[in-house]
Amino acid sequence: TKPFFRNHLLLQVLSINGFQNTTYFTLMLFDIVNLSVRLANIVQALAFHRDSLSLVFYLFIATALTYASFGLEFFPEAFTTTHDGEDIKFDTVLSCFWFVFYNYSSRGNLKAFLDKAKPKSADWLPRLFFDTVFFIWVGIILFTTITALLVDALGKARVDQAKRDYEIRNVCFICGMKRTDYDDYGLKRGAPSYDDHCNKDHDPWVYISYVAYLNAKPHNKYSGIETFVKSQMDKGETWVPSKTGVTLEAQGKTGPDISNDINNETTTHDNNNEEGSIKECERMIKELLDAQGKK
């Protein structure tokens, strides 16, 4: 749904409007968010703090409304501005609210958009307190809070990306075996490396092909193992190995205990067994492709 909406609806609407008004073409530059995985992760991290950011935005609105009310009540002469040489006075709470909210870009400096109080005047000390509290609350606390949330979001995105990269390199996608655990088993010389374990013994695409093969094969032609795997899939229960593999079990590191009378010749031929398993998967994939071709 998302790719369809983006590719076939949103971008086409922007393209059509762009030929009428080139301004709409600039909006298409934001499609980089969908194309860049790293940037998409950053946006998702920002969305993680959406509740906190919404509360801070509410505090901005409440502050603007409060200062508009108190300012209009105690310092009405300060809420004026000049436009084209003409003085404009704000005489309602709503107009004062929009005036304060629009000038938030001053980052808490009320003197940047309100008339300055004259020293030794009657409202000098009240205005000093009024302006100082606004600067501390808005200019320091609220804006610093937003900065902290954004920095935390970017840090979270960086940590999550590093965690994903680590798990991709050091955790088997199928069985969950860690690289350090695999190396600690101390397999015999010539045994498959951890990368071979992940890319050959537990190649995810082989498992996906096996699932597709079972779904395409008639149930009355299943073998015993295929019947078991299909029943586990239908019940939503696991059927893939958990922190083990054919090489580990063949060398007695994981899985059922191997009796002492198993001759070493069988153990040394585990690589040939692995090749047979791969050929079996290739045969199943070929049968799947043939079945799809007949349909």
Side-chain angles (χ1 to χ4, degrees), residues 57-69:
F57 182 72
Y58 167 79
L59 291 178
F60 272 108
I61 296 177
T63 301
L65 184 60
T66 301
Y67 265 78
S69 300

Side-chain angles (χ1 to χ4, degrees), residues 155-201:
K156 182 179 181 299
R158 183 173 60 254
V159 171
D160 291 344
Q161 183 62 41
K163 183 179 179 181
R164 282 191 292 268
D165 293 340
Y166 174 83
E167 291 184 351
I168 290 174
R169 294 192 303 268
N170 299 285
V171 180
C172 178
F173 180 80
I174 296 299
C175 71
M177 173 76 70
K178 295 182 179 179
R179 182 185 295 271
T180 54
D181 295 338
Y182 188 89
D183 294 338
D184 289 343
Y185 280 121
L187 300 178
K188 297 179 180 179
R189 180 177 297 181
S193 64
Y194 179 78
D195 292 331
D196 291 334
H197 167 81
C198 296
N199 299 326
K200 294 182 180 179
D201 293 354

Side-chain angles (χ1 to χ4, degrees), residues 1-293:
T1 303
K2 180 180 177 181
F4 175 83
F5 177 78
R6 178 176 68 89
N7 298 326
H8 300 285
L9 184 60
L10 183 59
L11 292 181
Q12 289 190 17
V13 170
L14 294 177
S15 299
I16 294 173
N17 285 277
F19 286 111
Q20 300 177 3
N21 186 344
T22 55
T23 303
Y24 288 95
F25 281 135
T26 60
L27 296 176
M28 300 177 66
L29 298 175
F30 289 97
D31 192 47
I32 186 66
V33 177
N34 292 291
L35 301 177
S36 173
V37 176
R38 180 171 299 180
L39 188 57
N41 292 334
I42 294 176
V43 174
Q44 290 178 359
L46 294 176
F48 177 79
H49 290 296
R50 59 182 178 274
D51 295 337
S52 299
L53 292 173
S54 299
L55 292 175
V56 174
F57 182 72
Y58 167 79
L59 291 178
F60 272 108
I61 296 177
T63 301
L65 184 60
T66 301
Y67 265 78
S69 300
F70 277 85
L72 187 62
E73 179 67 24
F74 297 103
F75 313 106
E77 68 283 353
F79 284 82
T80 59
T81 186
T82 302
H83 181 68
D84 293 338
E86 180 182 357
D87 292 336
I88 301 176
K89 184 176 179 60
F90 301 97
D91 51 4
T92 64
V93 174
L94 183 60
S95 61
C96 290
F97 164 77
W98 288 118
F99 182 62
V100 174
F101 191 80
Y102 178 76
N103 288 280
Y104 263 139
S105 58
S106 62
R107 295 185 66 86
N109 184 11
L110 282 177
K111 294 187 298 183
F113 59 92
L114 293 183
D115 284 349
K116 298 180 180 179
K118 297 179 180 180
K120 298 183 180 181
S121 62
D123 61 348
W124 167 249
L125 290 179
R127 270 296 303 276
L128 178 63
F129 177 78
F130 188 76
D131 293 1
T132 302
V133 172
F134 187 87
F135 172 75
I136 295 175
W137 174 244
V138 175
I140 298 179
I141 297 178
L142 292 185
F143 277 103
T144 302
T145 301
I146 290 180
T147 302
L149 290 174
L150 295 178
V151 171
D152 182 69
L154 296 177
K156 182 179 181 299
R158 183 173 60 254
V159 171
D160 291 344
Q161 183 62 41
K163 183 179 179 181
R164 282 191 292 268
D165 293 340
Y166 174 83
E167 291 184 351
I168 290 174
R169 294 192 303 268
N170 299 285
V171 180
C172 178
F173 180 80
I174 296 299
C175 71
M177 173 76 70
K178 295 182 179 179
R179 182 185 295 271
T180 54
D181 295 338
Y182 188 89
D183 294 338
D184 289 343
Y185 280 121
L187 300 178
K188 297 179 180 179
R189 180 177 297 181
S193 64
Y194 179 78
D195 292 331
D196 291 334
H197 167 81
C198 296
N199 299 326
K200 294 182 180 179
D201 293 354
H202 289 170
D203 185 358
W205 290 109
V206 172
Y207 281 81
I208 294 174
S209 301
Y210 185 64
V211 172
Y213 163 78
L214 291 181
N215 291 332
K217 186 175 182 179
H219 291 192
N220 57 359
K221 294 184 178 180
Y222 281 170
S223 65
I225 295 179
E226 293 172 348
T227 302
F228 169 76
V229 172
K230 182 60 176 177
S231 65
Q232 293 293 97
M233 291 169 51
D234 294 338
K235 292 185 294 185
E237 298 180 359
T238 182
W239 56 274
V240 297
S242 177
K243 297 184 178 180
T244 185
V246 60
T247 302
L248 295 172
E249 293 188 3
Q251 296 193 17
K253 303 298 183 180
T254 60
D257 294 335
I258 299 179
S259 59
N260 295 328
D261 58 347
I262 297 181
N263 58 58
N264 294 329
E265 183 179 359
T266 303
T267 304
T268 56
H269 288 313
D270 55 283
N271 287 335
N272 294 332
N273 294 334
E274 291 174 23
E275 293 179 359
S277 299
I278 295 175
K279 291 180 179 179
E280 179 67 12
C281 292
E282 293 175 349
R283 182 188 64 80
M284 292 186 294
I285 294 174
K286 184 177 183 301
E287 291 183 7
L288 172 62
L289 295 176
D290 294 337
Q292 292 179 343

